Amino acid sequence: MSDSRRVFLKGLGAAGVLAAGGPGPAAAMDPPVRRGGPSMRLSLAAYSYRKYMTDHRRRAEPNPAASMSLEDFVDLCAGFNLEGTELTSYYVPHPVSAGYLRGLRKRALLLGLTVSGTAIGNTFTHPPGPALDKEIAHVKAWVDHAVDMGAPVIRIFAGDVQKGTTEEQARQWCIEAIQRCCEYAGQQGVILALENHGGIVTTAEQLLAIVREVRSEWFGVNWDSGNFRSADPYAELARVAPYAVTVQIKTQVGSPQGPREADLPRVIGILKEAGYRGFVALEYEDEHDPKAAVPRYLDTLRRLIAT
């Protein structure tokens, strides 16, 4: 990696990267060089309260328990005295309105919150053609929405191997799609962060096989602590941590036998060892009611980050 690129990426996280200016040519992805020691700020993913929110991707399936809007969620994050709020795209009313997103941005600002990021669903494993073009267009549209929302980073997915194709083909199509989207995202000052979310990124090795081939300074990893399902998910998390530009923390980790309780001190320790600097968003997916469980886990994470 060149000295200039090391300087460009030295801050990790959205703020450090965005401060450097517009996109430019880059070598294949290396871990960003971090300076100043680990520094984490606490956020909360709106997905944690999906039980109480309307998923606007499924407009034909109304949620009878829906009692919370994204505005309510922003207020909740302020009530928890958080530094950030992660506004999952699924709960933005359709059609998406720039005015609505800017209103969320203003609401967060007036409550002393930073919009730490947003998260979208996409599939980049289709063969070249209309299906893949539609997915790319969706991600690019959300780049524009992220600008209106004030979100410096977007969580994206890779996808599953499609019928009649191979994993190698899927990986290459995914790399090319990410590359195209990063070219656009960089022009808007938004980072795309690929999550370890099953499919062709089920393992750390699969994830890194994609990450290392994307040539963009506007790309990194959404480090999700709960999504590796090997016998040693912590070892996989440690391999990927150097590439993290945003983080989601779950209260469970995966295993071949199914989910088990996460060793949260160990999870935060991995990030500290990697020198991670940026937001850590709790993404609660356990079976208990988030209204009772989330405050308790936020307190735990706050203590771990501070020590």
Side-chain angles (χ1 to χ4, degrees):
M1 181 190 288
S2 69
D3 289 341
S4 62
R5 186 163 186 257
R6 291 183 187 278
V7 170
F8 182 90
L9 291 170
K10 69 180 180 181
L12 187 62
V17 177
L18 294 183
M29 182 79 173
D30 288 330
V33 175
R34 300 170 168 100
R35 294 184 175 88
S39 177
M40 286 172 261
R41 292 175 288 168
L42 192 56
S43 184
L44 177 63
Y47 191 73
S48 303
Y49 285 83
R50 63 199 174 278
K51 176 180 178 180
Y52 298 106
M53 305 183 83
T54 297
D55 188 334
H56 292 279
R57 299 170 302 168
R58 303 180 175 90
R59 283 168 286 175
E61 302 175 21
N63 177 9
S67 59
M68 182 181 291
S69 66
L70 280 177
E71 291 93 338
D72 296 328
F73 176 73
V74 171
D75 294 349
L76 188 71
C77 289
F80 288 144
N81 199 28
L82 297 174
E83 295 176 276
T85 179
E86 184 183 293
L87 303 179
T88 315
S89 68
Y90 311 157
Y91 312 118
V92 173
H94 288 191
V96 179
S97 160
Y100 176 82
L101 297 174
R102 291 167 188 164
L104 288 174
R105 179 179 185 171
K106 182 179 76 171
R107 192 182 197 96
L109 174 67
L110 294 178
L111 290 172
L113 292 164
T114 297
V115 178
S116 60
T118 189
I120 65 174
N122 65 282
T123 301
F124 278 166
T125 51
H126 295 292
L132 183 58
D133 289 343
K134 181 179 179 181
E135 297 293 318
I136 292 171
H138 173 65
V139 174
K140 288 182 177 181
W142 266 96
V143 169
D144 294 335
H145 298 331
V147 173
D148 288 325
M149 183 188 288
V153 60
I154 302 174
R155 188 283 317 278
I156 62 171
F157 291 149
D160 298 319
V161 175
Q162 304 299 306
K163 185 177 180 180
T165 69
T166 67
E167 182 174 339
E168 178 54 38
Q169 288 175 318
R171 183 183 303 112
Q172 189 57 44
W173 294 329
C174 182
I175 291 168
E176 292 169 359
I178 292 172
Q179 190 74 50
R180 289 171 60 185
C181 290
C182 282
E183 290 171 3
Y184 184 76
Q187 293 169 6
Q188 311 306 316
V190 174
I191 297 172
L192 301 183
L194 179 63
E195 182 176 312
N196 49 313
H197 190 74
I200 65 169
V201 289
T202 296
T203 68
E205 188 64 34
Q206 289 174 308
L207 180 68
L208 293 176
I210 292 174
V211 170
R212 289 170 175 159
E213 293 303 316
V214 175
R215 298 176 178 269
S216 176
E217 294 165 329
W218 297 87
F219 177 66
V221 166
N222 181 88
W223 192 87
D224 188 304
S225 69
N227 283 355
F228 288 130
R229 297 176 175 84
S230 68
D232 190 354
Y234 298 103
E236 293 199 274
L237 288 169
R239 285 192 65 190
V240 174
Y243 294 88
V245 294
T246 191
V247 165
Q248 290 173 329
I249 299 289
K250 289 188 171 70
T251 60
Q252 296 179 321
V253 293
S255 76
Q257 293 75 40
R260 62 178 189 266
E261 185 176 359
D263 183 342
L264 291 178
R266 187 174 181 184
V267 169
I268 296 299
I270 290 170
L271 291 172
K272 289 182 177 180
E273 182 66 25
Y276 174 72
R277 299 179 64 87
F279 274 103
V280 171
L282 173 64
E283 187 179 51
Y284 182 75
E285 292 188 350
D286 212 337
E287 68 272 14
H288 303 294
D289 191 325
K291 291 182 178 180
V294 163
R296 175 167 53 89
Y297 281 110
L298 288 174
D299 287 343
T300 299
L301 289 173
R302 190 176 278 114
R303 290 195 300 270
L304 292 172
I305 288 170
T307 57

